[in-house]
Amino acid sequence: MIAGLALALGSALGTNVAFLLKQRGAVLAPAVRARHPLRSAVGLFRSRWFSLGWAVAVVAWGLHVGALALLPLSVVQAVLSGGLVFLAVLAERYFGFHLGRRQWAGVIVTAFGLAVIAITGGAHTSALRHYSLAGLIAVECGVFALGVALIRVSMRGSLGPAARGLLLGAAAGVLFGVSDIALKYLTGALHGGLHRIVSEWTLAALAASVLAFYASARGLQLGPGVAVIAFTSVAANLAAIMGGILVFRDPIGIGALAIVARLIAFCLVIAGAALMPAPVRARGAPAR
């Protein structure tokens, strides 16, 4: 349990450092174009900041997989939700962002709400003994479709750059959630042998991760960095928590009090997220 929590905490810290590094690199790279995915990827990785961020993200992903192998999905998400506080502190101290009171309030309220949602789920088991195959198929397909729909909506010319960036950030988070749910299933399936890693859920995780890569990079280029990262984190956490309940049968809550607390916490997450998209800009950096 302690080892799993340590891995999840390291993943939360690494993920947010990686996002901030990638944001710095993405705004210096050529614009990501859907019609030129390879050229866009090459342009991103030519930025040393983006490449460094991606390398940190790979390490954080490894820690995340280790945490998923040791802990229930909802518990891992509870720890990762606290990463929003890491995001705010790191952004101000080391990456030149200035967050106003409204943004700090949004970060803290959202992190608290996500933590309450995850913690009040009741007792869990990290072993993949009970899961719903029908739920896995429905959730993965539905959440994947939602991510694609958000990307399509972001392409509307009537939307401003900030709104498009936030939509792409949310789409990336939803797709990262697809990958997290598939990875949780795969970490349990591996107990039956390494050959179990070759499955349709591996392909689902890879496809979602690739789409999330481009959506996240373009979102960071268009929208306010901290808000886009926060939207990505919130969407990923909510998608994974939903997967934990519908697929892996994590309890909605033990007793009426826990269920009410979760509903209130969900409202707090929405309210906190609504506070974040205010002007948040790196000091001295031109608006893009």
Side-chain angles (χ1 to χ4, degrees), residues 14 24 27 30 78 100 109 116 143 173 186 196 201 213 221 241 288:
R24 178 173 287 184
V27 297
V109 167
V116 171
V143 177
L186 291 170
R196 298 289 297 274
W201 305 115
F213 169 83
Q221 289 179 334
I241 289 171
R288 288 190 57 135

Side-chain angles (χ1 to χ4, degrees), residues 224-242:
V226 172
V228 171
I229 296 170
F231 267 51
T232 302
S233 298
V234 170
N237 274 276
L238 291 179
I241 289 171
M242 181 181 69

Side-chain angles (χ1 to χ4, degrees), residues 1-9 63-80 124-128 183-184 187-188 248 250:
M1 181 72 172
I2 295 176
L5 290 173
L7 290 173
L9 187 62
L63 296 175
H64 189 190
V65 173
L68 287 173
L70 297 173
L71 295 173
L73 183 58
S74 295
V75 175
V76 174
Q77 296 310 129
V79 178
L80 294 181
H124 305 276
T125 174
S126 60
L128 192 64
L183 284 173
K184 177 59 182 176
T187 57
F248 304 109
D250 290 349

Side-chain angles (χ1 to χ4, degrees), residues 144-156:
F144 192 95
L146 175 60
V148 173
L150 288 172
I151 293 174
R152 292 288 297 173
V153 173
S154 72
M155 294 179 179
R156 293 181 179 177

Side-chain angles (χ1 to χ4, degrees), residues 23 25-31 161-162 218 220-224 281 285-288:
Q23 191 275 339
V27 297
L28 299 175
R218 186 56 177 157
L220 292 171
Q221 289 179 334
L222 291 172
R281 188 175 303 165
R288 288 190 57 135

Side-chain angles (χ1 to χ4, degrees), residues 160-182:
R164 293 172 62 197
L166 293 173
L167 281 171
L168 286 169
V174 165
L175 293 167
F176 283 134
V178 172
S179 179
D180 287 347
I181 295 168

